[in-house]
Amino acid sequence: MIDRKKYREYKLKQTKEFGKIDSTFDYFIQPDQDPNIIVDEFISNVELSGDFHDMLINERVEIAFQSTDNEPVIIPNYQTLEVMLVERGLTYNAIRVQTNIDNFIYNNLYLLDDRSEEYNNIIRYESGYTPSVPFIRDPGDYIEGNEYNNQVYQKQTYLEKLRAQFEGNMIVLNTTGRLEVESLRMMIYGEWRPIAFAAQDDGQAFPEIKTLEIYNWINELGLDYNAAADWFDNDSVLNVMIDEGVIANLKDDGRNSLIWNDFTHYSWDEGDLRGSDNTDYVQQSRYRRYIEETDNNVFDLEFIQPYEPAGSELYYNEYRPWQEIS
């Protein structure tokens, strides 16, 4: 018996077909839509779990692709998979598990062409991949032979902490005489580069004062110094920066010095070159280009941060090398 009180309560009307589906209902299929059309699909032979890159690297999952233009084919690697997902505006969430309606066997499928040359870190980020326990980082970046480098399980290492602290910043060994200038360094891409050059006439080291002044302005330090002072004067930009702690004074001799000896060095007279002939020192125009290249914050890359801590050398791969920006 039909309870018509419910019709009145929800203001419903019974159709002429007495409760059956109206004969004009189109089942959500557009008139020109073929219900047998196969859209682009990514189909895995097992459910994805844990770290997706690890599963694909170690072949614990196979993913097939099929579309209206392609019979099912196997995707060769995670790089190709992520290129294909991202170009369609999809993420890993779009991958479904094979069911009994999928009329194919994975072992019988052809291998799709490898597209890993099109892969980059932005594609990885947009694919929705993130490392999963036990991995802290992307295992795809840490393959050594058939094993993973232990760093894939580590958070920020000692050297990464130092790079995060000193990248784009400056040190001196000590302030004894000309060693204050000869040991003046800025970390650029994880290497200590001099902020001094050999004078053309006598080959003595002189600081690149304009680089220090640009550093002051670009970092909005507002230091009170005498722009006309000689470098050895107490009120020079060099000595004010050391006194204010802007330039870290290691107060060391360089023989067994932490921080100083932890990274590669270039010399203010590298290759016995003088002045601007030495392209390894942080000359003012080169420093400007470094700022423009990195936005003065090397480790602030959203598409790397889910995979690497600040200070990781892998950030440097996203920028043009020093000699290219010089």
Side-chain angles (χ1 to χ4, degrees):
M1 180 176 180
I2 299 174
D3 184 1
R4 289 180 171 78
K5 289 187 295 183
K6 292 295 182 181
Y7 284 77
R8 291 193 294 272
E9 180 180 348
Y10 296 107
K11 298 180 182 181
L12 301 175
K13 293 183 180 180
Q14 187 176 354
T15 69
K16 292 180 181 180
E17 307 257 343
F18 299 101
K20 296 180 180 179
I21 295 176
D22 194 303
S23 59
T24 61
F25 186 68
D26 65 6
Y27 301 93
F28 297 109
I29 298 175
Q30 299 298 326
D32 58 349
Q33 180 179 338
D34 183 349
N36 296 315
I37 286 179
I38 300 174
V39 297
D40 291 0
E41 285 192 301
F42 296 85
I43 307 167
S44 63
N45 61 338
V46 297
E47 184 176 357
L48 286 169
S49 62
D51 190 283
F52 300 163
H53 281 189
D54 177 55
M55 288 191 75
L56 287 157
I57 289 168
N58 290 289
E59 300 179 351
R60 292 198 299 273
V61 62
E62 290 184 294
I63 297 178
F65 172 75
Q66 69 175 357
S67 70
T68 55
D69 300 321
N70 293 282
E71 293 293 322
V73 287
I74 293 291
I75 298 174
N77 48 51
Y78 72 81
Q79 295 95 329
T80 301
L81 169 63
E82 290 173 17
V83 168
M84 295 175 67
L85 286 171
V86 170
E87 70 184 1
R88 290 167 174 79
L90 303 176
T91 68
Y92 274 89
N93 291 333
I95 301 172
R96 69 171 177 85
V97 181
Q98 184 185 30
T99 67
N100 56 8
I101 68 169
D102 298 307
N103 188 26
F104 60 84
I105 300 173
Y106 281 80
N107 289 343
N108 296 338
L109 301 184
Y110 289 104
L111 198 64
L112 191 65
D113 289 342
D114 188 339
R115 297 180 61 185
S116 56
E117 289 186 0
E118 302 171 48
Y119 184 75
N120 57 47
N121 288 327
I122 295 175
I123 286 174
R124 173 177 63 179
Y125 178 73
E126 292 181 347
S127 76
Y129 165 76
T130 54
S132 296
V133 175
F135 302 102
I136 303 297
R137 313 181 190 214
D138 178 359
D141 289 331
Y142 291 90
I143 299 174
E144 292 185 351
N146 296 321
E147 303 291 335
Y148 295 129
N149 185 302
N150 283 334
Q151 194 163 325
V152 76
Y153 307 107
Q154 296 179 16
K155 295 183 179 179
Q156 199 179 34
T157 66
Y158 164 74
L159 290 180
E160 287 170 341
K161 289 180 185 293
L162 290 181
R163 291 191 202 100
Q165 179 179 352
F166 286 103
E167 179 68 35
N169 294 318
M170 299 174 284
I171 60 170
V172 291
L173 263 177
N174 60 59
T175 56
T176 304
R178 283 199 166 270
L179 188 59
E180 177 178 332
V181 177
E182 293 173 357
S183 68
L184 181 60
R185 299 284 192 275
M186 178 182 286
M187 182 172 283
I188 303 287
Y189 299 152
E191 299 174 321
W192 290 125
R193 291 190 177 273
I195 318 174
F197 59 91
Q200 292 286 2
D201 53 356
D202 60 7
Q204 290 195 77
F206 280 87
E208 181 75 345
I209 293 297
K210 290 299 181 185
T211 295
L212 303 182
E213 292 181 340
I214 292 169
Y215 183 99
N216 172 58
W217 290 110
I218 201 69
N219 290 289
E220 302 179 1
L221 302 179
L223 297 177
D224 183 16
Y225 61 88
N226 179 5
D230 287 319
W231 70 264
F232 47 78
D233 291 335
N234 289 335
D235 59 351
S236 70
V237 64
L238 172 59
N239 284 311
V240 169
M241 282 186 162
I242 293 172
D243 292 342
E244 294 289 332
V246 176
I247 298 174
N249 184 357
L250 301 181
K251 297 180 181 179
D252 211 332
D253 58 14
R255 285 187 290 238
N256 191 27
S257 307
L258 295 176
I259 301 173
W260 179 266
N261 288 326
D262 284 321
F263 302 99
T264 299
H265 278 262
Y266 292 88
S267 174
W268 54 274
D269 59 351
E270 191 76 22
D272 293 325
L273 297 174
R274 297 189 178 186
S276 59
D277 290 339
N278 178 6
T279 59
D280 289 314
Y281 85 97
V282 190
Q283 192 261 356
Q284 57 176 302
S285 62
R286 298 185 183 110
Y287 180 50
R288 286 196 191 100
R289 288 193 284 273
Y290 167 77
I291 292 170
E292 292 166 357
E293 177 75 12
T294 64
D295 199 26
N296 204 33
N297 195 344
V298 168
F299 304 118
D300 186 27
L301 293 178
E302 182 183 29
F303 59 91
I304 300 290
Q305 289 169 341
Y307 316 103
E308 292 294 320
S312 166
E313 291 181 288
L314 296 188
Y315 283 85
Y316 299 142
N317 297 334
E318 300 301 317
Y319 304 104
R320 289 181 297 159
W322 173 253
Q323 292 299 337
E324 290 186 19
I325 67 171
S326 296

